[in-house]
Amino acid sequence: MTSHSTSPHARSSDGPGTPGTELVVDVGPIAHGGHFVARHEGRVIFVRHAIPGEKVRVRLTDSGDSSRFWRADVVEVLEASPDRVPHFWKLADSLGSWRRGGPPVGGAELGHISLQRQRALKADVLAEQLKRLAGLELATAVEPAGADDDGLGWRTRASFAVTAKGRLGMHAHRSDVVIPVKDMPLAVPGINDLKLWDVDLGGIARVEVAVPANGSRPLVLLAPEESTSPKRLHSILSQLPHDVSVASFDPSKGEVLQLRGRTWVQESAADHEYRVTGEGFWQIHKDAPETLVNAVTGYLAGGGYLQPGAVVADLYAGAGLFTAPLADAVGVTGSVLSVEGAPGTSRDARKNLHGQTQVEIVQGRVERVLNHQGRNFDSVVLDPPRAGAGKAVVKQLMASGPRAIAYVSCDPASFARDLGYFQQGGWRLDSLRAFDLYPNTHHLETVALIVPAT
């Protein structure tokens, strides 16, 4: 795929650093965040929709003469990588979108790259972060999740914006531009089957959809604008399928109000059922919960750290995805401390683990709970948000004396940083697996086993 030759000079009437300027650049390595590194006259440009080794024409999207670096999208491929494939989603294809006069939607920024090369690039990012932030030279293959491995139809949850005309849309990357959408190829069929793009969503600022992979009742969450009347909400409700639960929610307050059906969904994983309320956290990929539970329990049980009678902790526990199988493993003679900061999600965990007498559920900040608990653990599961656990929590965990920690991370940079803190405290990385739980995006998930060095 090589286009006609074009002039290598910048095309713009407003100067070389103006957004909208087009430049020809050679594409270098991938960087954390789904960008590729290029340079123009010594300045770094973070380019999206490229592949290392390509020569491309880019359009500056975020730039200025005083900026430390610029951002850009590919608008034309002059010398293509053999790993470049036709994008599966017209609206996310940078080349076609800019030809039509605007940016692509975000959320499928690696869709122009073969899945095999995507995973190799994610492995490169993980290795680079481990080396830079933890001083560790380690190559880790990125594994697929589940059997259906075409990279599509995996999202059980999706978030949408609404256009000024009241139509379902998605944002362009780092932009207020909302692009109307009429399909979402990364979503499970149940999300597309709702046909929300046919609904007049005027008065709604944001829409969240959850369609459990087990086939249980879907939930549509509507975030109304402040001026939206109850009458308008019920007008929207009447346009939605009758077998779908619908609720309104206020993202700033975390409040969820029932409009029809339930304010929660029923999820399944590892022979357990989980109630997850509203915006409560649940792994997005349909095969992610099972994949991660198997990886975590495999590390802990396989190393002899998870046995009947063991004392374990599940930190940042959410609705209890890991807590339930941990409780099974330690039995009634053991104990599991399950800690979650979000009140709604913590209430879900109480319902999901009702009757498990060996489980203690505490709602609160992890560092505060660890301070007050003052107990030791045989092993710990640590599954923090994208920002990671941080130095304070890492120090508290090491002080609590576990024999092993299974660290689940959705961000290689915060994971590598935290691993560096563990290493400074005399711990080491025993094992590491990486999973492609977000195909066609730059994200990846890791599961690590971290143990005392001596």
Side-chain angles (χ1 to χ4, degrees):
M1 169 178 178
T2 302
S3 99
H4 60 276
S5 63
T6 50
S7 164
H9 302 297
R11 297 203 301 220
S12 173
S13 58
D14 300 314
T18 308
T21 297
E22 294 186 3
L23 306 168
V24 171
V25 296
D26 295 313
V27 181
I30 190 170
H32 180 45
H35 315 284
F36 298 84
V37 180
R39 295 180 188 275
H40 175 72
E41 296 179 352
R43 190 188 303 269
V44 168
I45 306 177
F46 288 122
V47 177
R48 286 172 79 79
H49 315 289
I51 306 176
E54 291 188 327
K55 183 182 287 291
V56 295
R57 182 178 296 282
V58 301
R59 179 188 178 96
L60 297 181
T61 56
D62 187 356
S63 58
D65 288 338
S66 61
S67 302
R68 284 193 306 116
F69 56 82
W70 293 344
R71 297 179 186 274
D73 278 359
V74 172
V75 296
E76 185 180 7
V77 180
L78 305 176
E79 295 175 15
S81 163
D83 296 307
R84 181 170 283 272
V85 297
H87 205 296
F88 60 85
W89 191 10
K90 178 181 175 183
L91 294 180
D93 175 27
S94 184
L95 304 178
S97 294
W98 283 113
R99 274 198 300 270
R100 293 189 297 274
V105 299
E109 64 274 12
L110 300 187
H112 61 287
I113 308 175
S114 69
L115 270 177
Q116 184 178 2
R117 184 67 191 280
Q118 285 184 38
R119 289 171 183 151
L121 290 168
K122 293 180 188 189
D124 290 346
V125 169
L126 177 58
E128 193 270 333
Q129 296 296 315
L130 288 171
K131 183 176 181 180
R132 187 169 66 86
L133 296 171
L136 200 60
E137 296 264 5
L138 182 66
T140 308
V142 176
E143 307 170 38
D148 300 329
D149 193 30
D150 64 357
L152 304 178
W154 52 267
R155 289 191 74 112
T156 61
R157 294 177 174 233
S159 181
F160 298 97
V162 178
T163 71
K165 294 182 178 179
R167 292 295 163 186
L168 197 73
M170 293 182 67
H171 283 283
H173 177 64
R174 294 174 58 89
S175 172
D176 293 330
V177 175
V178 179
I179 300 161
V181 299
K182 291 207 169 181
D183 67 333
M184 208 307 182
L186 296 182
V188 293
I191 290 179
N192 287 305
D193 291 346
L194 295 174
K195 294 190 169 19
L196 294 177
W197 36 81
D198 292 339
V199 176
D200 177 2
L201 293 164
I204 302 299
R206 188 172 129 203
V207 180
E208 301 278 343
V209 186
V211 176
N214 59 17
S216 65
R217 190 172 187 175
L219 173 65
V220 174
L221 292 172
L222 305 172
E225 294 169 350
E226 280 188 27
S227 59
T228 302
S229 67
K231 183 180 178 182
R232 177 71 198 125
L233 266 182
H234 282 280
S235 170
I236 295 168
L237 184 64
S238 69
Q239 301 174 66
L240 297 173
H242 294 297
D243 57 347
V244 171
S245 294
V246 186
S248 68
F249 77 110
D250 183 337
S252 63
K253 297 178 183 175
E255 294 176 350
V256 180
L257 299 173
Q258 177 193 42
L259 295 176
R260 183 178 70 209
R262 310 186 296 205
T263 58
W264 47 275
V265 290
Q266 190 77 32
E267 297 281 3
S268 308
D271 299 322
H272 288 273
E273 297 294 314
Y274 300 86
R275 164 185 167 143
V276 184
T277 299
E279 274 199 301
F281 178 77
W282 188 255
Q283 289 288 341
I284 293 171
H285 192 297
K286 59 186 174 60
D287 297 313
E290 203 86 23
T291 298
L292 294 176
V293 166
N294 289 342
V296 165
T297 56
Y299 273 162
L300 294 181
Y305 309 115
L306 187 62
Q307 302 160 319
V311 178
V312 301
D314 183 11
L315 306 181
Y316 309 96
L321 171 62
F322 298 114
T323 308
L326 291 175
D328 292 344
V330 303
V332 293
T333 59
S335 69
V336 183
L337 172 66
S338 182
V339 183
E340 168 57 39
T345 307
S346 187
R347 284 194 294 273
D348 287 342
R350 289 184 192 281
K351 291 184 183 296
N352 295 334
L353 295 149
H354 177 70
Q356 297 269 41
T357 56
Q358 68 269 47
V359 176
E360 179 188 357
I361 295 170
V362 179
Q363 188 257 311
R365 291 173 63 88
V366 165
E367 51 268 48
R368 191 174 300 156
V369 173
L370 288 177
N371 256 344
H372 291 162
Q373 289 291 323
R375 68 173 74 170
N376 292 340
F377 304 105
D378 293 308
S379 60
V380 172
V381 175
L382 186 65
D383 184 14
R386 197 168 298 283
K391 184 180 282 187
V393 169
V394 168
K395 289 180 79 170
Q396 287 173 299
L397 279 176
M398 292 188 292
S400 72
R403 294 167 52 220
I405 294 171
Y407 189 145
V408 183
S409 171
C410 61
D411 185 86
S414 61
F415 165 67
R417 178 206 66 203
D418 286 350
L419 179 58
Y421 297 148
F422 276 111
Q423 291 178 156
Q424 289 165 21
W427 288 54
R428 65 178 176 84
L429 178 65
D430 180 271
S431 306
L432 180 64
R433 294 178 72 183
F435 299 98
D436 193 14
L437 301 189
Y438 313 89
N440 292 300
T441 81
H442 71 275
H443 299 289
L444 74 152
E445 195 96 3
T446 53
V447 178
L449 183 66
I450 304 172
V451 299
T454 54

